[in-house]
Structure formats: structure tokens, C-alpha cells
Amino acid sequence: MGDSAPTTNPKPRTPNPRQAKTWDKAKRLSALLSELQARRCTTADLARRFDVGQRSIQRDIDALRRMGHDVVEHAGQAYSIPRNGTLLRPAEALAAYAAIRLAHHHSPALNSHYRHALHSISMALPERIRHTLNASVKDTGATPFAERQMEQVAAAWMDGRVLNFDYRRPNGELETGNELCVYFIEISRDNLAPYVIGLERRRRGQVRTFKLSRMANLSLHQDTYEPDPDFDPKAFLSDAWGVIGSENPLTVTVRFAAEAAYRVLEGGFPNATLIRRDGCVEVEFRAGTDRTGLPRELMPFLLGWGPRAEVLSPPHVREAWLAELRETLARYDTPPAQNTA
């Protein structure tokens, strides 16, 4: 092979302000279309939403008309755009909407993704219901950090690309250079936060669970991977109270007092077996454990019942439960100091 001609570094391209402005408007038109399909909006509402003047919004609405969208004008400078529904039946759409709305309001890590999903689901419902539902969605003001992380995770999973990232462990230690083959995404029932499950191939060579908000510096590796045909998310999460599966799950027996029995008997708890005893209710919870052998995801749930729940077994879980209660009592069982100033 002959010598190649010397190469020179190309000069950096100067950003074109006109192109940037055109791109911003294109993105705004797409978002505006989604908003108007989701609910009836005034030009003042939209101007605040997109941080532009009302005249700009009016020009955008005219542009949507020229693009062929059926923009309906209502009293008070309000507009909407009809759209055909999805394949979801009404009850299914309402159930899905309620679940995503819960996640949006109580764990707004994926704020705009949740919001867009809510808009899409609402299209399966009549306009009068759709507008009421979407008017109930509050702007949480969440930062787009986790949203960008989720986009990288989604790209890795959809394209079968290995995901590079650093991870901030709960103790503050930064674990760098992780390489993950994404297998699954799960929302924790405990905190409604998104978690990523997959084969971490560089450090431990095993399936691990990572909290999305602790993942940083995400990028797509050049390597691709094939899904593991033996990975079963249902089996992996079968003993998880939230998102932590375990090869060594255990059964925790808890007695609930009579005043809490009615709530326990309503059910809705995963991996639970109920036994009635003299007005009280005993429940056997099966839960995954961490490296110390404790069911960390189950503990906050048990402590949340206060004096209405008593951990009976196994002994090391009962002792950990009692230790939390004793420490709380020791720390706060003292009247606050009076301000004599």
C-alpha cells in the first residue's frame, strides 16, 4: 500500500443561526401539535409553555393548518386538533393513564416522556374526557437529566448496543467504566423511580440492577449484543419487593394488629400469604435480600406501619426492624430545647 497524502484537520464549522432557528421552530411545531391533540389550549397558555410570544404561537398554528392539520378554534382564542384514538379500549386507556400520571407526579424523573405518553394514551378517549385528564397533569419542573439518560438506555436496548456508563453507588463511591447489555426496564413500586436491568459484562459478569438517576456519562459502545434467551424478567423479579431480585430470597412473617387488618386483607401485596389469627392478620412476605441478607426494599414498608405491625421472623430481620425503631426512639424521645432568647 502506497503512502497516503498528508491530511489536515478540517476547520470547525461555524454554526448557522438561521438553521438553528429553523430547527427550534420545527421542534416547537411538533410539540405544539402534541399539545393541541391532547387538550384545548389558549394562545396565552401555549406562549407560556413554549416561552415565546402569542404572535409566534398564532403563526405556528397557521403553519399547522398549512401542513394539513384540522385546527379547531374555540371561544377565547383556544384551539385543539382532533386525532383518531389508539387501539386501547376506554377502561384500558384510563388504567394506563392513571398509572403513568401517578409516576409523573410522584417520581418526575422522566417528566416529558411521561407527559407525551399521557397525551398519546388520552387519544383513545372522547375529547371532553381527554381535555379533563390532560388538564390535571401538572408541570413538575423536573430537569431533563434523567430523560436524556433514558434515551441512551432506550437506544442501547432497541439497537442491541452495549451501554457504557459510570455509576454512583449508594455509599457515594463512583464505579467507572461499566458495560451493560440492557435486558429490561423496571419502575420500583417503592419509589416509582426507573431502574435498568442487564448483564454487566466488564466487572462482575452477572445480571445487575442500576438506578437510572445514579448512572452518568452514558454512551453507546461499538459492540452489539444479542438478547439472552434464558433471561426471564418475571422470574428475575419474582422475589423482588421493588426491583431487587435475589438468588437467596427469604420469607418474613409479620403480625398486623386488628386495627390494620382490614387494610392488609384488601390485598395488593406481592408474594404474600395471609393467615387470620384472633382478629389479627399474619402475613408471610417473600422478598429478595441484599449482600447482608436483609430484605432492604421490604423494610421501609414494614416500618411504615408503626406499632400496627410486628416482625416475627426470621430473627435477624426482626432484630434489624427493632434496631431501627430503638434508634428512632432514642434520637427523638427527648423534648426539643426551648428557645429562651
Side-chain angles (χ1 to χ4, degrees), residues 78-209:
Y79 300 87
S80 67
I81 297 178
R83 177 180 168 182
N84 294 330
T86 67
L87 297 179
L88 290 175
R89 292 180 295 178
E92 296 168 342
L94 287 173
Y97 193 99
I100 296 177
R101 183 179 182 276
L102 173 70
H104 176 271
H105 284 165
H106 293 278
S107 179
L110 305 178
N111 185 34
S112 69
H113 294 319
Y114 285 146
R115 189 182 183 91
H116 293 159
L118 290 171
H119 287 180
S120 297
I121 292 173
S122 71
M123 297 307 165
L125 301 167
E127 181 177 340
R128 59 186 179 83
I129 296 177
R130 181 167 73 245
H131 290 172
T132 301
L133 285 175
N134 289 323
S136 73
V137 179
K138 295 181 288 188
D139 186 358
T140 61
T143 63
F145 173 77
E147 296 173 3
R148 293 194 295 268
Q149 308 294 63
M150 177 59 85
E151 289 167 4
Q152 290 277 44
V153 171
W157 195 9
M158 297 301 107
D159 298 340
R161 296 274 297 277
V162 174
L163 184 69
N164 292 327
F165 67 99
D166 300 332
Y167 192 67
R168 181 72 62 181
R169 298 180 58 79
N171 62 6
E173 174 190 352
L174 184 64
E175 187 178 86
T176 61
N178 292 288
E179 297 180 355
L180 189 71
C181 303
V182 180
Y183 286 173
F184 203 67
I185 305 293
E186 179 74 344
I187 301 295
S188 170
R189 72 186 301 271
D190 179 44
N191 56 15
L192 299 182
Y195 289 75
V196 186
I197 300 170
L199 174 66
E200 202 294 296
R201 68 177 193 175
R202 182 169 177 264
R203 292 180 174 273
R204 300 183 193 171
Q206 59 186 219
V207 177
R208 298 176 60 189
T209 302

Side-chain angles (χ1 to χ4, degrees), residues 226-239:
E226 293 295 328
D228 181 356
D230 296 326
F231 177 75
D232 180 358
K234 183 178 179 181
F236 181 81
L237 296 167
S238 63
D239 296 313

Side-chain angles (χ1 to χ4, degrees), residues 19-56:
Q19 287 181 341
K21 187 175 181 180
T22 301
W23 175 240
D24 287 343
K25 181 170 182 177
K27 291 192 295 184
R28 190 171 72 241
L29 284 175
S30 177
L32 178 62
L33 173 62
S34 177
E35 288 284 340
L36 292 176
Q37 287 176 330
R39 61 173 172 267
R40 188 180 302 179
C41 301
T42 67
T43 54
D45 293 336
L46 295 168
R48 286 191 295 269
R49 168 79 173 83
F50 296 101
D51 196 24
V52 296
Q54 291 190 54
R55 293 187 64 182
S56 294

Side-chain angles (χ1 to χ4, degrees), residues 3 27 49 51 70 72 88 92 96 134 150 154 197 214 216-217 230 248 251 256 263 275 286 288 305 329:
D3 294 337
K27 291 192 295 184
R49 168 79 173 83
D51 196 24
D70 182 17
V72 179
L88 290 175
E92 296 168 342
N134 289 323
M150 177 59 85
I197 300 170
R214 296 183 187 145
N217 303 321
D230 296 326
N248 300 299
T251 299
F256 291 89
R263 173 64 186 92
I275 306 170
R286 189 167 176 82
W305 289 88
L329 183 63

